[in-house]
Amino acid sequence: MFKRLWKDIKPQEVEQLIRDGREDVQLIDVRELAEFKEGHIKGVKLLPLSQLEVRFDEINRDKDAVIICRSGNRSRQACEFLSAHGYRKLRNMAGGMLEWQGETTTTS
């Protein structure tokens, strides 16, 4: 049986990490640019799932990585891909941005 190498994290827990100013945590948004521009968490790194295969080395292996998408499906796929490539400090934001109640910012 396949062992899942990441854990789910609730959006409220991610908000707390941000409030705590945790330097050992990186937020990675795997949505596409158009979705990201409509609203994202301030300070998050955009790394679309469609580009993950060629850009995954931009994620610091030494820091916890919280993977974010719209609903939690693409972020789960990203966690599967990253864990297959040796990443171990992964969290999937369950429910994605649909469940996010914190502040967001937009870009043009």
Side-chain angles (χ1 to χ4, degrees), residues 10-45:
K10 294 176 183 170
Q12 299 86 348
E13 294 172 293
V14 176
E15 279 188 81
Q16 188 61 52
L17 292 174
I18 293 168
R19 278 194 299 274
D20 292 348
R22 294 274 304 270
E23 295 288 327
D24 60 332
V25 176
Q26 57 193 325
L27 304 178
I28 310 294
D29 194 322
V30 297
R31 296 176 299 159
E32 295 301 318
L33 181 59
E35 296 171 281
F36 181 82
K37 285 181 174 182
E38 290 175 3
H40 57 272
I41 301 167
K42 187 176 180 182
V44 72
K45 177 180 181 66

Side-chain angles (χ1 to χ4, degrees), residues 30 47-57 59 78 81-82:
V30 297
L47 208 158
L49 185 62
S50 62
Q51 299 174 17
L52 190 62
E53 192 172 325
V54 294
R55 293 182 55 199
F56 70 90
D57 61 339
I59 301 172
F81 175 85
L82 292 167

Side-chain angles (χ1 to χ4, degrees), residues 48-96:
L49 185 62
S50 62
Q51 299 174 17
L52 190 62
E53 192 172 325
V54 294
R55 293 182 55 199
F56 70 90
D57 61 339
E58 295 177 29
I59 301 172
N60 186 334
R61 291 175 186 266
D62 297 325
K63 290 185 175 186
D64 286 338
V66 176
I67 312 299
I68 301 162
C69 71
R70 181 179 159 271
S71 67
N73 184 42
R74 283 176 284 177
S75 54
R76 180 187 48 77
Q77 291 175 44
C79 286
E80 288 175 5
F81 175 85
L82 292 167
S83 65
H85 285 82
Y87 286 80
R88 296 295 176 258
K89 296 181 174 188
L90 299 170
R91 303 288 178 266
N92 174 40
M93 190 170 92

